[in-house]
Amino acid sequence: MAELLQDAAGRAQSLTLFGNNSKRLMGGPCLAADASLSTARLNRILQYEPNDLTISVEAGLRWTDLQKTLARNLQMLALDPPFASQATVGGVIASNSSGPLRARFGTARDLVIGMQFATLEGKLVRTGGMVVKNVAGLDMGKLMIGSFGTLAVITSVNLRLHPLPEKTSTFLFSFSAPDAALEKRAALQSGVLRPLAVDLIGPVVAARLGHRGFLLAVRAGGSARILERYGRELSGSERISGTEEELFWTQIREFPAELLRRQPGSLILRISAPLSQTSQLLRLAGGSSITRASAGVHSIYLSGWPSLKPFWRAAAEQQWAAVVEYAPDEVRLKRELWLLAQQNESAFAMMKSIKQMFDPGNLLNRLRLYGRL
């Protein structure tokens, strides 16, 4: 891989980089390039230390294959991205994908402890290690997370693991208005419980899951005694477990994929806003949303570009971070996908400098970073 990159740079060839192409509708446009490189055949498990809760895998390993291997030792990688059945490890990391479990475990930046990547200079750069706490200098691997292959090619990743919960249950609360749901969420956050996931699901999405109203879903994990404590603390909820619970969270995780299959012209807008402004944003969304309720990260599901305008305007006025996360090709080729609020301008200038350092000829995945880089 490193040699191919060096050769392409010497010829000034543009390159399209991907794993299994499951994120093709995510990020910026996939511009035509002189050549394509896939990591799909880099699919080995390099080192697995179950007792240390760490693993090193190549970037092309399928996500589901990794999780199946870990499950045999009652362990998991605590990320639950959409398109899980098609995704590769490298694709998940390069797109910084996550799901409901981010409420408890964070995102890829919290779980990647080391990395190797290939550069256009033909070098293999190793950063971090196989130790969960690694503080020796700048971790350049963090630059690759969410870069969509615009800087280099991730070839392997070292990951922090977690034990699978002994048991899980999910507690569902239904509300007619968002404010009541948000009050319940605030009470939960101020308490001592530490759920695996806390999602607030708008009525439009909830209806497709067989529920009504604004649905606050709280997933708990642990021993039977711990789950009994959740049951007492979350009285008045509907409790689901087993196959029903697994299906529920699979539907939540895969809702973006299901929507894009069902309505190919749809857009998915991601907005990060202060928790104090969640009610305002949910009313604007009209119920077609899923919110990671502990993080203030909202996925808004829209029928097409015209539906985006009020959100774009509100985001600009309120200084929310907003990006069109998924969209059809005709939108991604012609429209602005990333709203840069004033406070983001200096950060974006730094991103351009980093891009110039890694890829001065602008050869790798041109415009894949939401049409900006």
Side-chain angles (χ1 to χ4, degrees):
M1 182 67 78
E3 290 172 358
L4 287 169
L5 289 173
Q6 185 178 35
D7 181 64
R11 299 167 183 262
Q13 286 185 320
S14 57
L15 293 172
T16 296
L17 310 174
F18 59 94
N20 200 34
N21 231 7
S22 65
K23 308 293 189 302
R24 195 188 68 79
L25 294 177
M26 188 180 187
C30 297
L31 297 183
D34 297 320
S36 297
L37 287 177
S38 168
T39 61
R41 292 177 63 185
L42 296 174
N43 55 14
R44 296 174 298 169
I45 294 177
L46 301 175
Q47 184 180 350
Y48 181 21
E49 303 292 347
N51 292 333
D52 294 334
L53 291 172
T54 58
I55 194 169
S56 178
V57 301
E58 289 184 323
L61 182 67
R62 283 183 177 264
W63 192 259
T64 51
D65 291 343
L66 170 60
Q67 295 287 33
K68 288 176 182 176
T69 297
L70 298 176
R72 288 195 285 268
N73 286 306
L74 301 180
Q75 295 176 346
M76 66 176 179
L77 177 54
L79 278 175
D80 48 354
F83 299 93
S85 62
Q86 298 91 34
T88 62
V89 173
V92 171
I93 302 304
S95 61
N96 197 22
S97 294
S98 61
L101 287 176
R102 71 178 290 164
R104 176 69 173 271
F105 301 102
T107 64
R109 297 180 187 279
D110 302 290
L111 300 173
V112 172
I113 57 175
M115 186 183 294
Q116 178 180 263
F117 56 88
T119 72
L120 286 165
E121 295 179 336
K123 296 179 180 179
L124 287 172
V125 179
R126 290 181 175 85
T127 178
M130 285 291 285
V131 181
V132 171
K133 291 184 178 180
N134 190 306
V135 294
L138 173 66
D139 185 355
M140 292 184 67
K142 292 291 193 290
L143 297 175
M144 303 298 142
I145 300 173
S147 67
F148 281 91
T150 57
L151 302 177
V153 179
I154 298 171
T155 55
S156 66
V157 187
N158 305 341
L159 298 155
R160 175 187 182 185
L161 307 176
H162 287 84
L164 280 171
E166 182 180 337
K167 297 180 179 180
T168 64
S169 286
T170 293
F171 302 85
L172 303 175
F173 296 90
S174 183
F175 302 91
S176 59
D179 289 346
L182 293 172
E183 287 179 11
K184 189 66 179 180
R185 180 213 63 186
L188 179 66
Q189 285 188 302
S190 64
V192 298
L193 301 179
R194 296 188 63 210
L196 300 176
V198 184
D199 273 10
L200 179 54
I201 301 150
V204 175
V205 179
R208 294 200 63 84
L209 304 177
H211 296 271
R212 300 179 64 182
F214 286 89
L215 191 67
L216 185 66
V218 182
R219 191 174 200 186
S223 66
R225 190 173 180 178
I226 289 174
L227 294 182
E228 287 174 7
R229 169 74 181 274
Y230 272 90
R232 292 193 301 270
E233 296 280 342
L234 302 178
S235 61
S237 62
E238 174 191 354
R239 181 172 176 174
I240 60 175
S241 57
T243 303
E244 183 182 6
E245 182 193 21
E246 288 301 322
L247 176 60
F248 177 86
W249 287 106
T250 297
Q251 289 176 308
I252 295 295
R253 183 194 72 207
E254 295 297 332
F255 193 83
E258 190 269 336
L259 176 69
L260 295 171
R261 284 193 296 268
R262 180 165 42 88
Q263 299 177 14
S266 298
L267 276 65
I268 300 177
L269 175 67
R270 187 182 75 231
I271 294 180
S272 297
L275 293 176
S276 61
Q277 296 177 337
T278 297
S279 178
Q280 175 186 351
L281 181 51
L282 291 180
R283 292 183 186 281
L284 187 62
S288 188
S289 62
I290 296 178
T291 295
R292 307 274 106 92
S294 299
V297 178
H298 310 262
S299 293
I300 314 295
Y301 306 103
L302 305 173
S303 59
W305 186 259
S307 304
L308 181 70
K309 293 180 181 178
F311 295 95
W312 224 234
R313 184 166 54 249
E317 292 172 354
Q318 300 295 333
Q319 299 291 290
W320 296 336
V323 64
V324 178
E325 194 166 33
Y326 296 88
D329 288 336
E330 58 269 22
V331 169
R332 296 186 303 134
L333 284 168
K334 299 176 182 179
R335 301 290 189 172
E336 180 63 69
L337 303 175
W338 186 0
L339 180 67
L340 281 180
Q342 186 174 358
Q343 70 266 29
N344 299 135
E345 292 292 347
S346 60
F348 183 66
M350 177 63 73
M351 292 181 199
K352 289 197 292 186
S353 297
I354 294 170
K355 171 69 171 178
Q356 180 67 22
M357 179 176 68
F358 279 94
D359 181 13
N362 192 28
L363 301 177
L364 301 180
N365 276 6
R366 297 170 297 158
L367 298 184
R368 278 291 277 144
L369 194 65
Y370 299 106
R372 290 275 184 170
L373 293 175

